């Protein structure tokens, strides 16, 4: 699960802004699972949703190992 969340974060960071549906298509998992993963990222202040259904990364500094 952590690997998937990390992959989702990196995908959003690379693309800039993505939709929830883009993530569903890219990762081949259900919309509910994507939403749970995005909730984890949002809770940790790594992504934000400036418009409903669109996601972008925040300016929070992180170290990816």
């Amino acid at each position: 699960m952590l690997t998937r969340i990390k992959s989702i974060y990196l995908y959003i960071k690379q693309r800039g802004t993505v939709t929830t549906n883009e993530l569903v298509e890219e990762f081949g998992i259900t919309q509910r699972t994507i939403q749970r993963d995005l909730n984890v990222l949002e809770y940790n202040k790594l992504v934000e949703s400036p418009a409903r259904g669109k996601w972008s990364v925040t300016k929070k500094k992180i170290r990816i190992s």
Side-chain angles (χ1 to χ4, degrees):
M1 181 173 129
L2 287 176
T3 303
R4 185 179 67 230
I5 291 173
K6 182 175 164 182
S7 296
I8 290 169
Y9 173 79
L10 292 172
Y11 182 81
I12 297 170
K13 186 172 182 171
Q14 178 185 22
R15 295 283 179 133
T17 301
V18 299
T19 64
T20 305
N21 288 335
E22 275 183 72
L23 294 170
V24 168
E25 290 175 21
E26 177 67 25
F27 291 93
I29 52 182
T30 66
Q31 188 163 352
R32 180 67 189 121
T33 301
I34 285 289
Q35 194 59 55
R36 275 194 297 261
D37 293 347
L38 289 168
N39 287 342
V40 169
L41 290 167
E42 187 175 35
Y43 178 81
N44 288 292
K45 299 185 183 353
L46 296 174
V47 298
E48 61 189 358
S49 181
R52 185 170 170 90
K54 296 191 178 201
W55 296 90
S56 59
V57 295
T58 62
K59 294 182 194 284
K60 184 175 181 179
K61 300 281 185 200
I62 65 163
R63 182 179 53 187
I64 298 174
S65 54

